[in-house]
Amino acid sequence: MNEQVLYQQALQILRDHGYKLTEARKQVLDILMSHAEHLTSSDILALTVKSDANIGRASVFRALDLFTDLGIIRPIYHESQSPHYVVFESNGHHAHLVCRECDKVVDLDECHLGELLDGFAAEHKFSLSGHLLELFGVCEDCSLHK
Amino acid sequence: MNEQVLYQQALQILRDHGYKLTEARKQVLDILMSHAEHLTSSDILALTVKSDANIGRASVFRALDLFTDLGIIRPIYHESQSPHYVVFESNGHHAHLVCRECDKVVDLDECHLGELLDGFAAEHKFSLSGHLLELFGVCEDCSLHK
DNA sequence: TCTCTAATTGATACTAAGTATCAATTAGAG
DNA sequence: CTCTAATTGATACTTAGTATCAATTAGAGA
């Protein structure tokens, strides 16, 4: 999914919920969406320091919290205790593979689980808006080295 | 899955990896597996204080880190920034529904995704050992109140 | 059963992520 | 352009998480 489209969609979600499109929020969003790897709060903070408009540390945390609440991103555990943030696709989905050995993460473009998961949610009378799927295993590189 | 079976399996995983079955580790495991809700580190710490053998705070964190490394549990971020720990089923799987409105979590007994996920992993040459599936949406109660 | 030792612990000190506060700033509606 | 509720950044504070180290202990082996 094109990151610019995702960025615009996220801005729209903010507008739709009555939030202002502040420089801080736009910058944090931009950073989140222009990096393939899943960043931590401190990663993001370090990257804001390098930009024109210096964003306060508290604002980074506030933006991340807001985007999490709105379902734009999701904090996940990965290697360290500080959460890494994954960006949901436009359909609210995100899926990736995590190697238990080397901690490599491979995002999946498409997991084709939509209809199946709708069914599960319906059984419990949930109206589904998204999902996060983490697959754990051993990657090829690590399998070869054992 | 019977919690006693899971507990014994977890102990076996520890033995298999050469770890000692200390009181601290056993107690943290027991607490994790005897609670339906997903506990945070501070929840667990509070519960250890109530038991006969008082476990040090550092030991709780160490046990949680070890169990996470070994794939017995998985930290998830939910409501607060402090992770909640979910216990994997014996097949390495865990699935639950999260309501975006009230934050209620409903664990799913079985998601029937085994073979499908094996296929995804194989495409990327991962040998799959488990998965975590989070479904986000709005629960029945919250739907009715809107 | 006992010995022994590497593993592990608990308490303490420390770090840093995360949060609260508040005067200053600003996005954007009108 | 005005205005104001929203938001900010800086600062202070909290607390989860981590490092350190002497003391303790799980369990292998005799």
Side-chain angles (χ1 to χ4, degrees):
Chain A
M1 169 59 74
N2 185 289
E3 73 190 52
Q4 192 52 229
V5 176
L6 271 193
Y7 178 78
Q8 295 302 327
Q9 287 183 337
L11 292 185
Q12 192 58 50
I13 290 168
L14 291 176
R15 281 189 207 100
D16 290 348
H17 285 82
Y19 292 101
K20 299 187 182 214
L21 306 191
T22 64
E23 187 56 36
R25 289 171 178 162
K26 287 192 284 188
Q27 207 181 124
V28 173
L29 261 184
D30 186 60
I31 288 167
L32 282 165
M33 292 178 178
S34 54
H35 289 262
E37 68 278 12
H38 308 322
L39 306 174
T40 64
S41 54
S42 53
D43 293 334
I44 291 160
L45 192 57
L47 288 164
T48 63
V49 170
K50 295 180 188 172
S51 66
D52 290 348
N54 205 10
I55 305 297
R57 183 160 156 264
S59 297
V60 171
F61 284 107
R62 280 189 292 240
L64 290 172
D65 286 346
L66 177 59
F67 303 158
T68 300
D69 280 351
L70 294 178
I72 296 168
I73 63 175
R74 176 80 180 165
I76 59 161
Y77 173 85
H78 176 53
E79 289 184 287
S80 66
Q81 291 294 338
S82 195
H84 290 246
Y85 292 87
V86 302
V87 181
F88 284 117
E89 298 289 343
S90 58
N91 56 5
H93 296 188
H94 180 87
H96 59 221
L97 296 160
V98 184
C99 177
R100 287 198 191 280
E101 299 291 329
C102 66
D103 286 306
K104 173 169 82 168
V105 178
V106 180
D107 284 0
L108 295 178
D109 294 332
E110 177 60 67
C111 63
H112 306 290
L113 293 178
E115 289 174 7
L116 189 57
L117 301 181
D118 284 338
F120 292 145
E123 280 176 40
H124 293 265
K125 310 223 196 288
F126 263 70
S127 93
L128 199 62
S129 60
H131 81 257
L132 170 63
L133 173 64
E134 295 193 284
L135 299 178
F136 308 108
V138 180
C139 70
E140 189 179 23
D141 288 345
C142 294
S143 294
L144 292 176
H145 294 154
K146 296 196 56 162
Chain B
M1 170 59 71
N2 186 290
E3 73 191 49
Q4 192 50 231
V5 176
L6 270 192
Y7 178 78
Q8 295 302 326
Q9 288 183 336
L11 292 186
Q12 192 58 49
I13 290 169
L14 291 176
R15 279 189 210 101
D16 290 347
H17 284 80
Y19 292 101
K20 299 184 178 213
L21 304 192
T22 64
E23 186 57 36
R25 288 170 177 162
K26 287 192 284 188
Q27 207 181 124
V28 172
L29 261 184
D30 186 60
I31 288 167
L32 282 165
M33 292 178 176
S34 53
H35 288 263
E37 67 278 13
H38 307 322
L39 306 174
T40 65
S41 53
S42 53
D43 293 333
I44 291 161
L45 192 57
L47 288 164
T48 63
V49 171
K50 295 177 184 172
S51 66
D52 290 347
N54 204 12
I55 305 296
R57 182 159 157 264
S59 295
V60 171
F61 283 109
R62 280 189 293 241
L64 291 172
D65 286 346
L66 177 59
F67 302 156
T68 300
D69 279 351
L70 294 178
I72 295 168
I73 62 177
R74 178 78 179 168
I76 58 164
Y77 292 96
H78 172 54
E79 289 185 287
S80 65
Q81 290 293 338
S82 194
H84 291 246
Y85 292 87
V86 301
V87 181
F88 283 117
E89 298 289 343
S90 58
N91 56 7
H93 296 189
H94 180 89
H96 59 221
L97 297 159
V98 183
C99 178
R100 289 199 190 277
E101 299 291 330
C102 65
D103 286 308
K104 174 169 82 169
V105 179
V106 180
D107 284 1
L108 296 178
D109 293 331
E110 178 59 67
C111 63
H112 306 290
L113 293 178
E115 291 174 3
L116 188 56
L117 300 181
D118 284 338
F120 292 144
E123 281 177 38
H124 293 263
K125 308 220 196 286
F126 264 70
S127 93
L128 200 61
S129 59
H131 81 258
L132 170 64
L133 173 64
E134 296 192 281
L135 300 177
F136 308 107
V138 181
C139 70
E140 189 178 24
D141 289 345
C142 294
S143 295
L144 292 176
H145 294 154
K146 298 198 54 168

